[in-house]
Amino acid sequence: MLFKTLVRPVVFRLSANDPEIAHHLIMQQLAVASHLPLLLKIIEAANGYASPRLERNLFGLHFPNPIGLAGGFDKNGHGLPALAALGFGFIEAGTVTRYAQPGNPRPRIFRFSENEALINRMGFPNTGAAAIAEHLARQPKPAIPIGWSLGKSKVTPQEEAVADYLYSLHKLDPFADFFTVNVSSPNTPGLRQLQEKEPLDQLLHAIVDETALLAQQTGRTTPKAVLVKIAPDLTEEQIDDVIDVCLQRNVQGIIATNTTLSRTGLTRQSAETGGLSGRPLHTRAVEVVSYLYKRLEQKLPIIGVGGIFEPDDAKRMLDAGASLIQIYTSFIYEGPGIIKTLNKSLDHD
Ligand SMILES: Cc1cc2nc3c(=O)[nH]c(=O)nc-3n(C[C@H](O)[C@H](O)[C@H](O)COP(=O)(O)O)c2cc1C
């Protein structure tokens, strides 16, 4: 409540010309808090919500609740302890690339407050896998599962994509509980083509093999789980191909969905390119999760993401077949209180 009446109006006004300013302001505070153990405890006491009914066990990991932060919010992992203290059950950090890169020119995030939506064409700005790993080595690791989302560097040619992902996988292995292979962001040229059957098969084959090798080298009994994140704009045939490859290559889960190229649900015309997220994405994201659930016959768990704002949206996504859910745009519009609101309602459902 305090967030919507007090914090949001100020932060949104300060960043009216470039919403990314708001993001950096908040990330800076999260990064500072992440190194202050007493403050983390206070944040946790104010925001946490625990109940045995919310706990989940998947991918050999324990999730204290099913509400996760979606990929792309904490790209460099500088605020993970503070984000965990806000009450998330898990966090997907990144997307990280092999090489440090600035992303697309700003402005590259656009607010559509009347529809509680965003368009973004960030293009994976991040400090690169090696620098991120160095930073993580100096920061406490939160107690909740942390996944690292891996993407392709813009400068890397398509035919060298596999090596690019493997480099980041190696660097982040000590800090990751699971990995997400991001082949679905619309803002890196050629990335979505990696969702096609052959390139996806090559990529996943190499990544899953590498996690097995890393497990052997580090004396772990089981390799870390590899998940794939897909776009909402795939046809049923394309989703079928993704499922076939995931099952064949021992991928452990599918995240659906990333942002959409569609502009359905926006009431204001916009020529901005990029991916649309938030409320207008919800119906399609649920549809994709339903389809995956039907086709997967419970062979793989699904993480549902897209336009989850209300307890009913969360329930709809779980009823469609998701085992866990993630939020991003509603976290921006509603503030951190949304995590507890969703968890409370699921607990009392
Ligand atoms: C500004 C912004 C940046 C994003 N960056 C990433 C990213 O780097 N990697 C990724 O997998 N998804 C990224 N996403 C997509 C979200 O993780 C999520 O899949 C999508 O926004 C739909 O969920 P939502 O409607 O709850 O926001 C980004 C979304 C936004 C709004």
Side-chain angles (χ1 to χ4, degrees):
M1 204 59 189
L2 204 66
F3 175 85
K4 276 181 109 166
T5 52
L6 220 66
V7 182
R8 191 176 85 176
V10 176
V11 173
F12 274 25
R13 180 158 307 176
L14 276 175
S15 59
N17 293 331
D18 183 0
E20 200 175 331
I21 294 170
H23 188 81
H24 290 302
L25 277 175
I26 288 168
M27 268 317 304
Q28 271 168 11
Q29 291 176 18
L30 291 168
V32 171
S34 289
H35 290 278
L36 301 173
L38 190 64
L39 183 57
L40 288 178
K41 284 221 157 40
I42 295 169
I43 297 174
E44 199 174 337
N47 293 278
Y49 184 86
S51 160
R53 291 192 67 211
L54 296 171
E55 294 174 20
R56 305 282 188 276
N57 290 298
L58 290 155
F59 323 121
L61 299 169
H62 178 74
F63 295 76
N65 70 69
I67 316 290
L69 178 61
F73 187 88
D74 192 354
K75 290 177 185 293
N76 298 311
H78 288 192
L80 297 176
L83 286 163
L86 287 174
F88 283 113
F90 65 110
I91 297 171
E92 192 183 333
T95 296
V96 57
T97 56
R98 173 177 187 159
Y99 300 108
Q101 54 183 36
N104 291 317
R106 287 167 70 170
R108 52 197 179 177
I109 304 182
F110 306 90
R111 272 190 214 118
F112 295 80
S113 299
E114 65 279 26
N115 302 120
E116 291 178 295
L118 296 170
I119 289 179
N120 92 83
R121 51 168 180 273
M122 299 292 285
F124 297 160
N126 75 108
T127 54
I132 289 175
E134 266 175 43
H135 181 91
L136 293 175
R138 300 191 302 268
Q139 182 176 276
K141 185 184 173 302
I144 57 170
I146 303 293
W148 273 93
S149 168
L150 310 177
K152 183 184 85 63
S153 314
K154 193 176 179 193
V155 293
T156 300
Q158 204 75 352
E159 58 281 8
E160 290 167 27
V162 172
D164 207 80
Y165 280 86
L166 292 184
Y167 179 90
S168 304
L169 178 82
H170 266 260
K171 286 287 174 199
L172 292 167
D173 183 62
F175 312 102
D177 295 304
F178 67 89
F179 289 101
T180 302
V181 180
N182 184 359
V183 282
S184 47
S185 287
N187 305 312
T188 295
L191 191 88
R192 284 184 165 204
Q193 285 162 24
L194 295 170
Q195 289 174 120
E196 287 165 17
K197 198 162 191 175
E198 280 221 350
L200 186 66
D201 187 58
Q202 270 181 21
L203 181 62
L204 295 179
H205 189 180
I207 289 179
V208 172
D209 275 7
E210 203 67 16
T211 55
L213 198 74
L214 279 165
Q216 237 179 35
Q217 285 171 357
T218 52
R220 286 194 296 265
T221 44
T222 45
K224 289 184 178 164
V226 174
L227 282 63
V228 173
K229 183 166 178 182
I230 64 168
D233 306 320
L234 298 179
T235 63
E236 290 190 349
E237 291 71 28
Q238 287 171 317
I239 297 176
D240 290 346
D241 284 349
V242 171
I243 290 173
D244 287 348
V245 175
C246 286
L247 291 175
Q248 177 145 14
R249 293 298 172 202
N250 288 325
V251 163
Q252 299 218 7
I254 300 184
I255 305 183
T257 69
N258 214 312
T259 55
T260 179
L261 293 175
S262 155
R263 294 294 181 258
T264 307
L266 280 191
T267 44
R268 177 157 49 98
Q269 286 274 348
S270 169
E272 298 299 349
T273 57
L276 175 69
S277 62
R279 284 208 197 259
L281 173 62
H282 185 62
T283 305
R284 176 61 188 157
V286 171
E287 207 171 82
V288 173
V289 168
S290 286
Y291 184 76
L292 282 168
Y293 186 74
K294 191 176 76 189
R295 284 295 329 278
L296 280 166
E297 298 168 334
Q298 308 201 12
K299 289 182 192 125
L300 290 181
I302 304 161
I303 300 181
V305 49
I308 297 170
F309 280 69
E310 315 285 340
D312 278 354
D313 304 331
K315 192 171 175 316
R316 194 174 300 111
M317 195 58 106
L318 293 167
D319 287 348
S323 299
L324 301 169
I325 58 182
Q326 291 178 326
I327 57 171
Y328 190 134
T329 305
S330 59
F331 186 55
I332 308 277
Y333 280 104
E334 303 286 319
I338 188 172
I339 311 163
K340 197 192 260 186
T341 304
L342 295 179
N343 270 323
K344 248 186 186 171
S345 79
L346 293 177
D347 188 26
H348 294 125
D349 190 41

